[in-house]
Amino acid sequence: MMLGKIYGKGLTDLDAAYKALEQLKPIKTYDFTGGMEKALLSAEVNIGVLHDSGIYRYDGQNQPIAFAAPSEGVLSLEQVWNITPGTKVRELANAYIDFILRPDVQKPLAEAVWYSPSNKKVKLDAKYDAKLYNTEAKVAQLIQVDWKWYNARKDDIDARVTRILRGDDVELSRPQ
């Protein structure tokens, strides 16, 4: 979806996204175990997309790379806590959520994992404050995805991307 925004007319411009993805080949894919970070740090690849600010974890260790956000914006990744209706441990679940949202818990999490704190009362040290999305003005810069639109097309999008990455997708402008 970000490729559609960068190279096309918006987040839902699938033809532009598929064409841009095709132009990026060869593409090496990684799972979420830190493989991309390791490939970037070892100079195995020159550019990569991290799902979060993971590369910041190496800040100050003379890493040969820098985290950069595209000028077009950064996708908002939202994390939500839910309690299952009818749970027999509702009190425990609420206590856990209350614990996780405490400023004294959110601050070290934000500084260790480089995720923006959920609690507005958390005051970050300058190093973190400059890079994390922790104010309303910074959050307003995030690109919100129309997840309803995406979810209605998810299977087709995933299948098409898989075909492109495997190299067996030659029809770039097929209607969706």
Side-chain angles (χ1 to χ4, degrees):
M1 294 176 78
M2 187 59 123
L3 290 173
K5 178 168 177 54
I6 294 172
Y7 295 104
K9 298 175 183 143
L11 291 171
T12 59
D13 191 346
L14 292 176
D15 287 334
Y18 296 140
K19 187 174 181 180
L21 188 59
E22 184 70 38
Q23 299 300 315
L24 290 173
K25 288 181 8 183
I27 297 173
K28 186 170 186 176
T29 58
Y30 294 88
D31 58 20
F32 290 104
T33 61
M36 176 57 78
E37 293 171 24
K38 292 172 187 164
L40 288 165
L41 291 167
S42 67
E44 182 180 337
V45 295
N46 297 317
I47 186 172
V49 177
L50 293 176
H51 75 289
D52 62 16
S53 54
I55 207 63
Y56 283 146
R57 286 191 275 280
Y58 301 95
D59 192 48
Q61 298 178 27
N62 296 320
Q63 69 274 20
I65 55 171
F67 180 88
S71 60
E72 291 79 9
V74 178
L75 288 176
S76 172
L77 294 175
E78 300 161 6
Q79 297 182 356
V80 179
W81 292 88
N82 292 298
I83 299 175
T84 306
T87 182
K88 294 177 179 160
V89 292
R90 177 173 302 281
E91 188 176 323
L92 179 61
N94 281 318
Y96 180 72
I97 291 172
D98 289 343
F99 170 77
I100 287 295
L101 292 175
R102 287 181 8 199
D104 64 317
V105 174
Q106 288 276 300
K107 182 175 170 62
L109 277 174
E111 294 176 353
V113 186
W114 288 88
Y115 280 140
S116 299
S118 299
N119 189 321
K120 291 181 182 181
K121 296 178 182 175
V122 173
K123 301 297 180 215
L124 298 173
D125 294 340
K127 167 182 170 179
Y128 305 98
D129 189 55
K131 295 180 181 179
L132 292 175
Y133 288 83
N134 60 337
T135 66
E136 287 187 36
K138 289 179 184 178
V139 170
Q141 297 171 2
L142 295 172
I143 297 170
Q144 298 292 326
V145 174
D146 181 351
W147 290 110
K148 188 174 185 179
W149 176 92
Y150 172 77
N151 285 329
R153 295 160 179 80
K154 183 183 183 325
D155 292 341
D156 291 336
I157 291 170
D158 289 351
R160 180 81 183 267
V161 168
T162 298
R163 286 194 305 275
I164 290 171
L165 295 177
R166 280 195 322 236
D168 57 357
D169 193 75
V170 294
E171 191 180 341
L172 291 177
S173 59
R174 184 180 62 173
Q176 292 296 308

